[in-house]
Amino acid sequence: METIGQRIKARRQAIKMTQRQLSAATGYSHAIVSQWENDLIKPKNLLAVAQALRTSMEWLLTGIGSPDDRNATVSIDGNVSTVEPVPIGTTRIPVIDYVQAGCWTEACGHTLADGSIETILTDLELGSRAFALRVKGDSMAPDIIEGDVVVVDPDVSPQPGDIVVAKNGSHEATIKQYRPRGYNAEGKEWFELVPRNEVYAPMRSDVCSITIIGVMVEHRRYRRRG
């Protein structure tokens, strides 16, 4: 008897989607997608998986019907309900790298080896320039660690304590906590960008030129296999 994992794999291959593309489309890690397909765990958000695979929840759950039929009825606790194909989590935002974030424009995006644009799904209401960034380094550890993904909105104004993505004249961005510090002798407001890891020094806008790119509005940490 065919399992949910086998149907996920079969459908993914049928629409010529890689595991990494399914990972990006659902917001789960590549390792999690592999565990789905090997029936080690079941998807917590089957609707997001069905949407990414352009199929129905009913077909993934039961194998009944055609995988190409996105509108289907699913029995939940004996109640039959109609599943609409796009109710939640359908905003796609690009996952970019630190260099791209440092010179961010609406046209930026991270191109994968197969030529596709890596994206993640979110149900947040975001500005048109929103992007996601996969964290590198440990300057914000232990709160934000390498491999975590942060969703950043350039249209949100930073407030004290917010986590922001910024650059200081280089071509590469950084992620730190925003702390306004008042005004200097010339009456110009200045701020610090503070790491959570005390090994690293704060950055001061009165010492170097700092441009805030956007504010973190979501933080995702994917389960890592030991």
Side-chain angles (χ1 to χ4, degrees), residues 104 127-131 152-158 212-215 217:
W104 176 242
S128 61
R129 299 181 297 155
F131 62 90
V152 180
D153 193 341
D155 295 326
V156 174
S157 298
I212 294 178
I213 299 167
V215 175
V217 294

Side-chain angles (χ1 to χ4, degrees), residues 6-56:
Q6 290 171 332
R7 282 189 287 274
I8 290 174
K9 182 177 181 178
R11 179 60 178 174
R12 176 180 61 75
Q13 293 177 336
I15 62 174
K16 302 186 186 306
M17 175 182 281
T18 66
Q19 283 190 340
R20 196 167 298 279
Q21 287 172 322
L22 181 56
S23 166
T26 57
Y28 291 89
S29 69
H30 183 214
I32 293 296
V33 172
S34 178
Q35 289 179 61
W36 293 342
E37 294 188 352
N38 287 289
D39 291 299
L40 298 176
I41 59 174
K42 292 182 179 180
K44 292 183 179 180
N45 189 347
L46 192 63
L47 180 57
V49 178
Q51 289 171 349
L53 294 174
R54 304 197 295 275
T55 189
S56 68

